[in-house]
């Protein structure tokens, strides 16, 4: 008689990895939010000024979320000069008088709000998001100007400091409202930013000048105090540069809110005009569905239904090209079109090739095959034709390689998909839930493909290939170099070299590394995804313009 199996069943995947990751994310976020630290915050308060995040809390509508963007800009960068938490500036979208505004606030607790290279890039990205989505902008200015020891990395290039003023002017020309409040220093080239806005507010004790007293003395020998050179009173009564002079931060923020309430509301995007009542999504803990390390398979349709209204998903060609799942749904009442990497193992039916019956093969989830690329390219064209925003759920290993795949035309078919992604005219939002490797990053609307917003989960891994594969490849390169030099490493040295290479690569795979360099806009907890997605769509809805969809030369 067969004895019953009394051994313990395999333990279900635990949430410990997720718990550790989410707790670390929360801790790291608190570290960033501290800016230059408690002493620097107190110095700001001693000047009767608020910190950047205190200003934002007073500016935004009570009880509404502030969707911070690029929180981890500069993470673990510039360590030799004390670091630059959050890039020395706070950016994000908040509700002001019931309307979403992009808010860009210098953090004077970090090097007096000076611009590091990453600061300029962060402000430019925030302005670009505002420009693409027609979001009105508030600048809360409190900056000592460019961080001079790094001026060569901040000043001259196309996407450096000068681009800030270029975007200032471009937004103004498109009728996108911009309000600036000088609430501390506003020095040198940075002085152009507030003056190029629709409205300029300044607080008592603040300064606005191209050159401060010390530089004026050094340059032309003139001795002048800060107030006469560029104080609030001078600009309000003599130069006429500012529109409103306020006694303190609270009064300036109140003024901004009053002015913001007066601006006309433009038309909404075509897709937003088809918005319906929001239905709740099925309740699901997404960390139970998706494993942290990518080793567990899951059906991405379960993830999609957990994000959309009523769990209703209209899947496109469900039995074809199954490693990419495509289809239409609603999120927050808005119509959306999903393109998502399937993470199950698929038994694929093949053409008979002259043999009786059908043949099959196993396809690996997360890999893009030729038929998947064909399907997704066609679906993206349909979404553009329908005027429906695209949402990419990216957990991709890359395109399939090998003889069969090459003979099936994977390069040609992959190029078709990349073309469709590149030329899309509807808003695109990308959420990286796991791997984002190699050319798969391109096909799934990575940063180079101009997503309106790009979010990443703490589980995201962002690189040209996975850690183990990269470590082995890089180790082979090092070994070849050592052997050419006449050195044959022993097993112990080989292991040490491998560990060093893998450790470095694993550090670069961490989503904080990507977020530090602005390759992603924000790291978000999985269970916040639906709400962040809906509010991102609300931001996209502010732009009523949609270009004509054209693809040029299209591989077939």
């Amino acid at each position: 008689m067969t004895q019953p199996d009394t051994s313990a069943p395999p333990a279900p995947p635990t949430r410990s990895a997720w718990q550790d990751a989410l707790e670390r994310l929360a801790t790291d976020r608190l570290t960033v939010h501290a800016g230059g630290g408690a002493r620097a915050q107190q110095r700001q308060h001693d000047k009767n000024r608020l910190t950047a995040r205190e200003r934002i809390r007073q500016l935004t509508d009570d009880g509404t979320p502030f969707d911070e963007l690029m929180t981890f800009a500069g993470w673990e960068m510039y360590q030799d000069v004390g670091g630059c938490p959050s890039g020395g500036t706070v950016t994000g979208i908040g509700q002001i008088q019931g309307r979403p505004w992009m808010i860009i606030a210098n953090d004077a607790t970090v090097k007096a709000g000076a611009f590091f290279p990453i600061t300029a890039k962060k402000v430019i990205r925030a302005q670009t998001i505002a420009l693409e989505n027609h979001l009105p902008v508030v600048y809360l200015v409190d900056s000592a100007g460019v961080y001079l020891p790094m001026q060569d990395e901040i000043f001259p290039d196309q996407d450096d400091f000068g681009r800030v003023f270029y975007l200032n002017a471009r937004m103004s020309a498109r009728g996108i409202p911009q309000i600036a409040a000088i609430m501390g220093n506003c020095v040198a080239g940075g002085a152009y930013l507030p003056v190029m806005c629709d409205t300029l507010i300044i607080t008592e004790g603040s300064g606005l000048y191209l050159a401060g007293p010390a530089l004026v003395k050094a340059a032309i020998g003139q001795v002048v105090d800060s107030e006469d050179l560029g104080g609030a009173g001078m600009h309000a009564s003599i130069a006429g540069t500012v529109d409103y002079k306020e006694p303190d931060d609270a009064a300036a923020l109140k003024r901004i809110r009053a002015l913001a309430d007066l601006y006309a509301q433009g038309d909404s995007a075509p897709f937003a005009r088809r918005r319906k009542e929001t239905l709740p999504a099925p309740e699901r803990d997404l960390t139970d569905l998706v494993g942290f390390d990518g080793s567990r398979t899951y059906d991405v349709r379960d993830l999609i239904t957990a994000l959309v209204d009523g769990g209703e998903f209209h899947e496109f060609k469900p039995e074809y090209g199954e490693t990419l799942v495509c289809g239409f749904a609603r999120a927050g009442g808005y119509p959306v079109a999903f393109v998502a990497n399937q993470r199950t193992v698929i038994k694929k039916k093949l053409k008979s090739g002259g043999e009786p019956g059908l043949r099959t093969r196993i396809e690996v989830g997360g890999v893009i095959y030729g038929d998947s690329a064909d399907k997704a390219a066609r679906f993206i064209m349909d979404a553009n034709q329908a005027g429906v925003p695209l949402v990419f759920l990216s957990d991709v290993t890359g395109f399939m390689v090998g003889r069969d795949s090459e003979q099936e035309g994977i390069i040609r078919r992959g190029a078709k998909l990349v073309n469709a992604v590149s030329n899309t005219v509807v808003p695109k939002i990308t959420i990286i839930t796991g791997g984002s490797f190699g050319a798969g990053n391109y096909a799934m609307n990575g940063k180079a493909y101009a997503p309106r917003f790009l979010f990443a989960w703490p589980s995201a891994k962002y690189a040209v290939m996975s850690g183990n594969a990269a470590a082995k490849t890089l180790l082979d390169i090092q070994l070849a170099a050592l052997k050419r030099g006449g050195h044959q490493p022993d097993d112990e040295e080989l292991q040490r070299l491998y560990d060093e290479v893998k450790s470095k690569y694993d550090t670069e795979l961490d989503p904080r590394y990507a977020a530090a360099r602005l390759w992603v806009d924000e790291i978000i907890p999985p269970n916040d995804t639906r709400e962040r997605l809906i509010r991102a769509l609300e931001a996209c809805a502010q732009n009523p313009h949609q270009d004509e969809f054209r693809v040029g030369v299209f591989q077939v």
Side-chain angles (χ1 to χ4, degrees), residues 114-115 144-154 188 215:
F115 271 64
V146 166
Y147 184 66
L148 287 175
M150 295 182 180
Q151 64 84 27
D152 62 320
E153 300 176 54
I154 303 166
L215 183 54

Side-chain angles (χ1 to χ4, degrees), residues 339 375-384 390 392 417 420-421 424:
V339 178
K375 178 175 84 171
R378 164 65 191 278
F379 178 73
I380 288 168
M381 295 176 74
D382 283 0
N384 278 274
L390 280 155
F392 293 81
L417 175 55
V421 172
T424 286

Side-chain angles (χ1 to χ4, degrees), residues 4 26 29 31 54 83 87 94 104 130 149 164 169 175 190 193-194 209 261 285 290 300 372 399 439 483 505 510 524:
R29 197 179 298 278
T31 300
E54 289 169 343
I104 300 172
V164 171
L193 182 147
Y209 26 68
D261 200 28
D285 185 340
V290 181
V300 77
S372 303
F399 284 89
K483 290 176 180 178
Y505 206 82
D510 189 285
I524 62 172

Side-chain angles (χ1 to χ4, degrees), residues 218-444:
I220 64 173
Q222 187 179 72
V223 177
V224 59
D225 66 27
S226 179
E227 178 59 35
D228 284 346
L229 182 64
M234 189 282 290
H235 280 296
S237 63
I238 299 174
T241 310
V242 303
D243 304 310
Y244 301 92
K245 182 181 73 171
E246 302 295 345
D248 53 28
D249 284 10
L253 296 168
K254 184 177 179 181
R255 178 76 72 178
I256 295 171
R257 286 185 54 80
L259 294 171
D261 200 28
L262 299 172
Y263 276 96
Q265 178 70 54
D267 292 335
S268 58
F271 78 86
R273 299 169 205 165
R274 301 295 294 172
R275 188 179 191 183
K276 293 188 175 181
E277 181 182 355
T278 301
L279 298 176
E283 291 189 14
R284 179 106 193 226
D285 185 340
L286 299 186
T287 62
D288 284 340
L289 172 64
V290 181
F292 181 77
D293 63 1
S295 62
R296 176 154 44 102
T297 61
Y298 65 92
D299 191 330
V300 77
R301 288 170 291 204
D302 294 335
L303 173 56
I304 293 170
T305 55
L307 297 177
V308 302
D309 294 0
E312 184 177 356
F313 178 54
H314 303 281
E315 187 171 356
F316 175 83
K317 295 185 186 292
E319 298 177 31
Y320 182 76
E322 294 176 77
T323 63
L324 280 175
V325 172
C326 304
F328 294 101
R330 289 186 181 271
Y334 293 111
V336 287
F338 283 93
V339 178
N341 298 111
Q342 179 60 284
R343 296 297 301 190
T344 59
V345 176
I346 295 161
K347 191 174 183 180
K348 167 71 178 175
K349 295 178 181 178
L350 301 174
K351 294 177 182 178
S352 64
E355 302 169 11
L358 291 173
R359 296 179 294 123
T360 62
R361 73 177 178 206
I362 298 299
E363 294 189 343
V364 181
V367 177
I368 300 174
Y369 293 77
D371 55 357
S372 303
D374 282 346
K375 178 175 84 171
R378 164 65 191 278
F379 178 73
I380 288 168
M381 295 176 74
D382 283 0
N384 278 274
Q385 183 81 349
V388 176
L390 280 155
V391 177
F392 293 81
L393 300 179
S394 178
D395 189 357
V396 61
T397 306
F399 284 89
M400 189 59 190
V401 297
R403 181 191 61 197
D404 290 349
S405 187
E406 296 290 357
Q407 291 182 359
E408 289 171 5
I410 188 64
I411 298 174
R412 168 177 54 81
R413 298 162 98 176
K416 180 164 53 177
L417 175 55
V418 170
N419 186 324
V421 172
S422 301
N423 286 301
T424 286
V425 295
V426 296
K428 296 178 293 183
I429 298 170
T430 300
I431 303 163
I432 301 175
T433 63
S436 183
F437 296 122
N441 171 272
Y442 307 155
M444 295 302 292

